[in-house]
Amino acid sequence: MSHPSRRLLSMCLGVLAVVVILTGAAMATAGPLRGGSRSWRPEPAGVPWGAFLGSGAEGVRDMTRMQQWLGGTELRVGHTYLPGNHWTDIEGDRGLLGAWARWRNADPDRLFVLNVPMLDRNEARVPDREVAGLLERGAQGEFDEHYRTLAARLVELGLPDTVIVPGWEMNGTTYTGRCAPNPEAWKAYWMGIVMVMRSVPGQRFRFDFAPSRGKDAIGWTHCYPGDDVVDIIGMDSYDQPPGNDFDEHVDQPFGLRAHVEFAEAHGKPVSYPEWGLFRNGDNPEYMRRMLKWIADHPPEYHTITDYCPHGVWRCGKNPQASRVFRSVQFTGVPGPEQGARADCLQLDLGPWLSPFVGRRRLCVRFWQDS
């Protein structure tokens, strides 16, 4: 009869050998893939990401449900928007912000991102001439008190390190707080908002300048308010024109490449606060390439918009792109070629080995034609 300690040692060595073999196989699977659009590099460790799933408490609740759909992959970024119908909306509803404060403060690794309108009646299709005048009034400080109130409320609720995205997609025509009707006033107004919010004791806000991809109504570089009042340079990029395919998304004027080059020239990190499917429907190629772009140009954070027509979890109209997204978030490698199905056997490494691999799961994947 063998000695118990020797038997235990043999078992441990056997388990370790199996883990080494499987880890090698998993690492080989997760390594760069060659050939066309499938060339790949996993998303860098530590890049926080999430999804927009709802404005208030429902968004917090659905983050847990989406994590379950992803097999436990953690969503570290919570992203929501303040409504902009009235100035009281822009000052921040305590109920809406309170739900996010509880989520954020439950884990120090989490990041909260808040889009903030620059004017009331934000989606009321206010005419350009009126917008130009409102931006002048904003630049003169007329609306400062609303942003001071918002900043104090965020600090009070325990959200002093929020990433603030004022006047997002300012190069477009959708929102009242847009840039094209009066670019110089828009920039001065942005600077004023930042200075007012930074003046509130206890704040550690960062400010994200986030145009939409492409020129739209004005080239977004003409709206850039300056390095001293911008901490992150973002870009909202959906699968839609301008650009008929992803190569055009990258290379068009004011596109994805221009974005990362502009940010690098100004010494700022990038972000992708909004991205997802849209005009081209269920497009797995877009999903692969957008995820690869994010991996190749590591952002401060990114958040996919997850509702129809953009989404991958809650939108049943996008099964192929959803499969790609889910596969990547499981393993850090692209989904299979169209027509194949992936099965992932996840192994729990237990308390002995998990300290050596952190929060990563060991996933043995099996491909089969559907």
Side-chain angles (χ1 to χ4, degrees):
M1 180 179 293
S2 61
H3 194 277
S5 61
R6 292 179 181 174
R7 191 164 60 247
L8 178 60
L9 177 60
S10 299
M11 290 174 62
C12 291
L13 290 174
V15 170
L16 181 60
V18 170
V19 169
V20 169
I21 292 169
L22 291 176
T23 302
M27 291 176 64
T29 302
L33 300 178
R34 306 297 180 187
S37 63
R38 296 190 71 206
S39 179
W40 186 259
R41 197 155 56 86
E43 185 176 352
V47 174
W49 69 276
F52 173 68
L53 299 166
S55 294
E58 75 281 6
V60 177
R61 179 198 65 224
D62 283 349
M63 288 182 70
T64 300
R65 296 173 59 199
M66 188 174 184
Q67 287 177 173
Q68 293 169 349
W69 176 72
L70 290 168
T73 297
E74 183 179 6
L75 277 66
R76 291 172 52 200
V77 181
H79 186 187
T80 195
Y81 301 71
L82 291 179
N85 299 318
H86 309 285
W87 280 112
T88 51
D89 296 331
I90 297 171
E91 292 176 354
D93 177 77
R94 280 189 172 87
L96 183 152
L97 293 174
W100 287 105
R102 289 187 291 274
W103 172 86
R104 163 65 184 88
N105 290 314
D107 187 334
D109 289 336
R110 290 174 176 172
L111 177 70
F112 179 54
V113 178
L114 181 66
N115 281 43
V116 178
M118 289 178 68
L119 291 167
D120 67 347
R121 298 178 293 152
N122 192 45
E123 298 184 47
R125 301 292 180 182
V126 177
D128 279 356
R129 183 173 180 178
E130 186 175 355
V131 167
L134 289 168
L135 293 173
E136 287 281 2
R137 291 164 60 188
Q140 293 167 11
E142 184 173 332
F143 310 126
D144 284 1
E145 197 58 35
H146 302 296
Y147 294 95
R148 186 175 287 107
T149 298
L150 171 61
R153 191 158 291 169
L154 289 168
V155 172
E156 172 194 338
L157 290 169
L159 294 168
D161 56 353
T162 298
V163 173
I164 308 288
V165 190
W168 67 101
E169 300 182 7
M170 78 299 294
N171 54 324
T173 60
T174 300
Y175 302 113
T176 302
R178 59 190 183 270
C179 173
N182 196 337
E184 293 307 311
W186 192 93
K187 289 186 284 188
Y189 184 25
W190 167 291
M191 293 174 65
I193 290 171
V194 172
M195 291 173 65
V196 164
M197 295 190 73
R198 283 179 175 170
S199 72
V200 172
Q203 65 80 33
R204 304 191 305 276
F205 304 130
R206 287 182 292 167
F207 293 86
D208 191 338
F209 171 84
S212 57
R213 176 178 48 79
K215 181 180 179 181
D216 213 332
I218 185 173
W220 49 262
T221 56
H222 300 297
C223 306
Y224 187 67
D227 292 345
D228 55 339
V229 289
V230 172
D231 300 293
I232 303 167
I233 299 178
M235 177 163 282
D236 293 353
S237 185
Y238 291 95
D239 184 24
Q240 64 170 349
N244 295 316
D245 58 32
F246 198 83
D247 287 333
E248 292 185 27
H249 292 187
V250 171
D251 293 324
Q252 67 192 202
F254 305 101
L256 290 170
R257 191 182 309 282
H259 168 230
V260 296
E261 290 177 350
F262 184 86
E264 183 177 5
H266 288 263
K268 305 293 181 181
V270 299
S271 72
Y272 301 98
E274 292 184 34
W275 68 276
L277 304 160
F278 199 10
R279 303 290 185 193
N280 296 320
D282 185 16
N283 187 350
E285 181 67 9
Y286 163 83
M287 186 58 61
R288 290 188 189 97
R289 296 196 63 185
M290 187 63 192
L291 288 168
K292 182 179 186 299
W293 182 266
I294 290 170
D296 286 343
H297 304 87
E300 192 73 4
Y301 71 92
H302 68 94
T303 47
I304 188 170
T305 300
D306 198 88
Y307 56 82
C308 280
H310 313 299
V312 290
W313 169 47
R314 296 189 301 181
C315 189
K317 298 178 180 179
N318 301 318
Q320 296 181 75
S322 174
R323 188 156 51 245
V324 171
F325 181 88
R326 194 165 185 252
S327 173
V328 170
Q329 301 307 344
F330 265 130
T331 63
V333 299
E337 298 293 351
Q338 186 171 342
R341 179 165 56 89
D343 294 304
C344 181
L345 174 62
Q346 297 185 58
L347 302 181
D348 183 358
L349 299 182
W352 292 352
L353 293 175
S354 57
F356 298 100
V357 295
R359 296 182 178 179
R360 297 179 182 174
R361 289 181 301 281
L362 184 61
C363 179
V364 182
R365 308 186 70 199
F366 305 93
W367 298 105
Q368 67 183 67
D369 292 334
S370 57

